Amino acid sequence: MKKVAIIGAGPAGIEAASVLAAHNCEVVLFEKSAAPLSNILDKAFLFPDFSAAQELADRLTAKLLPENIKVLCEKEIVDIKKIDDEFKLFDKEGKTYIADNVLITTGYTLFDAHRKEELGYGIYKGVINSLDLERMIHYKQITNSMGEAPSKVVFLQCVGSRDEKSGNNYCSKVCCVTAVKQAIEVRKLLPDTEIYLYYMDLRMWGKGFEELYREAQEKYDIRFVRGRISEASATFDNKVQIKSEDTLIGQPLKMTTDLLVLMCGMEASQGTRTLAEACGIAGNYHFIATQGPHLSDNATAVDGLFVAGTAKQPMSIRDTITDADAAAFLILSK
């Protein structure tokens, strides 16, 4: 029986484990957190259908029931060595594990908005990030810095993505549709609130996403402003004043808002960075490099060592699960 080690119990790791187990592989799934699926469980609803994140988490968790899947939580793998035809994995405590193949699914982390000091995250209470807002939506309690329902909410796209100053020139792919989804959710909870969304250009990648954008304007009265916010500052009444430019009309703008929501992009997680460096497979922006973007996108330069999901580039949950299936079947073919 082939023994496969999977590092990271997010949607990619669980989906791949399920496929491999169904084909009689022995799977050990390592997760450094106390429980799987942390990047799904911190969300309320998922685009494009507004399904509950908990429902998807429950369905994925059910895939871990087969006896030939062993899940080890609070186990952080920090190094992998290939010795002859097998792999030796080392956890943070120095314990070792043996596998025939290894799949890295260590995922992403959200860009730290503290790095954009000019936007005031962590300085002004009215400036939050997309994850902070997602938690508010989850508990149906969207409040400003005074604990009151906001009369105005402003979203800012591309924080930490497509941004030379932060060092990330790539597009994180899901921020645009996430902002539209969250804006609609805010409108449903706060029907009388003014909602603005600042964007460089909207990249609505998937099926149904463009329709969601149009619905946001036509049905939910979300106001889209093409431009960038250059600076945020506090006002005497605990609001946030933003300076920006409407690039369609070429005019500078000032606006006061109760909440400024920073739509932060994806970065390679620390686990991804650690293993990419340790195994000599680091690519651009600390993601894991693959052999090629078409027929070899789950294979790395190390024979028998594979990668799936957002450990190699930003992608949606749907694309992550599809990519995990591809990685699993590639492993089975070896």
Side-chain angles (χ1 to χ4, degrees):
M1 180 182 288
K2 180 180 287 190
K3 186 171 184 178
V4 182
I6 300 178
I7 308 169
I14 291 175
E15 177 68 15
S18 174
V19 173
L20 291 165
H23 289 79
N24 299 314
C25 291
E26 181 182 348
V27 180
V28 181
L29 184 57
F30 298 91
E31 171 55 46
K32 73 173 184 178
S33 302
L37 297 171
S38 58
N39 270 340
I40 286 184
L41 291 173
D42 61 15
K43 297 172 176 61
F45 302 100
L46 306 174
F47 58 80
D49 61 352
F50 293 87
S51 57
Q54 185 64 56
E55 291 180 9
L56 177 59
D58 291 343
R59 292 176 64 185
L60 284 169
T61 301
K63 290 175 176 277
L64 296 174
L65 293 176
E67 292 183 356
N68 50 335
I69 299 177
K70 184 178 182 180
V71 182
L72 300 179
C73 291
E74 298 184 312
K75 290 291 183 183
E76 183 177 358
I77 301 300
V78 294
D79 198 4
I80 304 168
K81 301 290 186 186
K82 186 173 184 182
I83 302 172
D84 297 326
D85 292 327
E86 65 181 17
F87 289 89
K88 182 176 285 189
L89 294 80
F90 302 82
D91 70 18
K92 205 170 184 179
E93 288 71 42
K95 188 175 179 180
T96 61
Y97 309 84
I98 303 297
D100 299 310
N101 295 109
V102 178
L103 174 62
I104 300 175
T105 57
T106 40
Y108 74 94
T109 191
L110 204 65
F111 174 81
D112 183 1
H114 290 94
R115 289 158 56 186
K116 301 288 291 182
E117 293 182 7
E118 66 273 20
L119 297 177
Y121 184 76
I123 302 172
Y124 311 124
K125 291 182 179 180
V127 182
I128 64 176
N129 68 20
S130 48
L131 182 55
D132 298 327
L133 180 61
E134 196 71 28
R135 293 184 180 121
M136 291 182 179
I137 292 169
H138 179 76
Y139 291 105
K140 296 182 172 59
Q141 192 172 5
I142 301 173
T143 58
N144 61 14
S145 61
M146 304 294 289
E148 303 166 342
S151 60
K152 185 182 294 183
V153 177
V154 173
F155 291 82
L156 174 61
Q157 294 280 31
C158 298
V159 177
S161 291
R162 304 174 66 195
D163 180 6
E164 290 187 9
K165 185 177 179 181
S166 70
N168 296 335
N169 295 333
Y170 58 87
C171 173
S172 284
K173 196 170 182 178
V174 301
C175 312
C176 286
V177 68
T178 299
V180 172
K181 173 192 77 81
Q182 289 190 333
I184 291 173
E185 289 168 339
V186 172
R187 167 65 70 231
K188 289 177 179 177
L189 292 170
L190 302 172
D192 299 323
T193 296
E194 292 183 59
I195 304 173
Y196 294 83
L197 198 157
Y198 280 76
Y199 66 97
M200 290 172 61
D201 51 70
L202 283 168
R203 299 186 170 189
M204 307 299 282
W205 294 86
K207 181 180 179 182
F209 292 6
E210 184 70 20
E211 291 82 354
L212 193 67
Y213 158 59
R214 292 185 62 181
E215 187 178 9
Q217 296 179 87
E218 296 169 2
K219 182 178 178 180
Y220 294 102
D221 192 29
I222 312 301
R223 304 171 192 183
F224 289 80
V225 181
R226 189 177 187 274
R228 297 284 295 191
I229 295 174
S230 60
E231 182 183 340
S233 58
T235 65
F236 72 93
D237 55 353
N238 292 311
K239 295 180 183 291
V240 178
Q241 184 177 78
I242 57 176
K243 294 181 180 179
S244 63
E245 178 186 7
D246 186 323
T247 56
L248 286 179
I249 62 175
Q251 292 291 326
L253 297 175
K254 276 188 179 181
M255 183 183 293
T256 300
T257 182
D258 294 291
L259 280 180
L260 173 60
V261 184
L262 308 180
M263 304 305 300
C264 296
M266 292 183 181
E267 289 189 315
S269 69
Q270 187 56 55
T272 297
R273 295 169 186 241
T274 296
L275 292 178
E277 292 295 331
C279 300
I281 52 174
N284 293 335
Y285 306 107
H286 307 287
F287 291 101
I288 290 174
T290 66
Q291 288 187 10
H294 303 299
L295 297 177
S296 304
D297 199 35
N298 294 110
T300 72
V302 179
D303 187 37
L305 178 60
F306 304 91
V307 61
T310 52
K312 61 183 184 181
Q313 64 186 36
M315 61 180 74
S316 67
I317 294 174
R318 177 169 60 187
D319 290 344
T320 294
I321 291 172
T322 301
D323 193 55
D325 289 333
F329 283 108
L330 180 61
I331 292 169
L332 291 168
S333 71
K334 298 299 181 180

